[in-house]
Amino acid sequence: MSEPHAHDDPGHGHHDDDDHGLHISLKGYVTGFILSVILTAIPFWLVMGKVIESPSTTSFVILAFAAVQIVVHMIYFLHLNAHSEGGWNMLALIFTIVLVVITLSGSLWVMFHLNHNMMPASMHEMRNMP
């Protein structure tokens, strides 16, 4: 009888991962870097060149570029995809997005109402303040 070798046992030694995601390469990092630079330069140009007249529209465009840049960083630098780690990375990402949305929307809601409730409505109300 021949003895099983340590490399034949799937619990020992190296693993042949059947990962269908992006493989780590210099080309992937360079692509991610170039996309990141472009996604940073365009909003910078929009603000410095005052390309869009409305500040609120400019803010939304910058937020859209920021969201795309987050995705670029996750794919090209963190190597996250729906198949890595058996889908747990995607579940963690969804949970993180939900927490960020709740935190940002709650903070904006509190700041708006704080500003609304703390500022006097008229000069008459200011005279009656202690």
Side-chain angles (χ1 to χ4, degrees), residues 52-99:
I52 301 173
E53 294 294 324
S54 170
S56 61
T57 305
T58 304
S59 298
F60 284 119
V61 170
I62 290 172
L63 286 174
F65 275 100
V68 172
Q69 192 169 49
I70 288 171
V71 172
V72 166
H73 281 260
M74 288 186 333
I75 292 172
Y76 288 100
F77 298 122
L78 298 177
H79 308 289
L80 295 180
N81 59 27
H83 303 292
S84 62
E85 300 288 331
W88 284 106
N89 282 341
M90 188 58 63
L91 186 64
L93 173 65
I94 292 169
F95 181 69
T96 302
I97 289 171
V98 168
L99 285 178

Side-chain angles (χ1 to χ4, degrees), residues 115-128:
N115 187 32
H116 177 72
N117 291 331
M118 295 300 290
M119 299 302 291
S122 67
M123 291 298 290
H124 177 68
E125 289 180 8
M126 282 183 66
R127 284 190 212 119
N128 293 335

Side-chain angles (χ1 to χ4, degrees), residues 4-17:
H5 297 286
H7 66 275
D8 292 338
D9 185 19
H12 298 295
H14 67 79
H15 298 284
D16 291 330
D17 291 332

Side-chain angles (χ1 to χ4, degrees), residues 102-114:
I102 289 171
T103 303
L104 289 177
S105 60
S107 297
L108 291 172
W109 183 75
V110 166
M111 286 188 280
F112 173 76
H113 284 86
L114 182 66

Side-chain angles (χ1 to χ4, degrees), residues 21-33:
L22 291 174
H23 294 286
I24 300 172
S25 69
L26 182 61
K27 181 182 176 185
Y29 285 120
V30 170
T31 303
F33 177 73

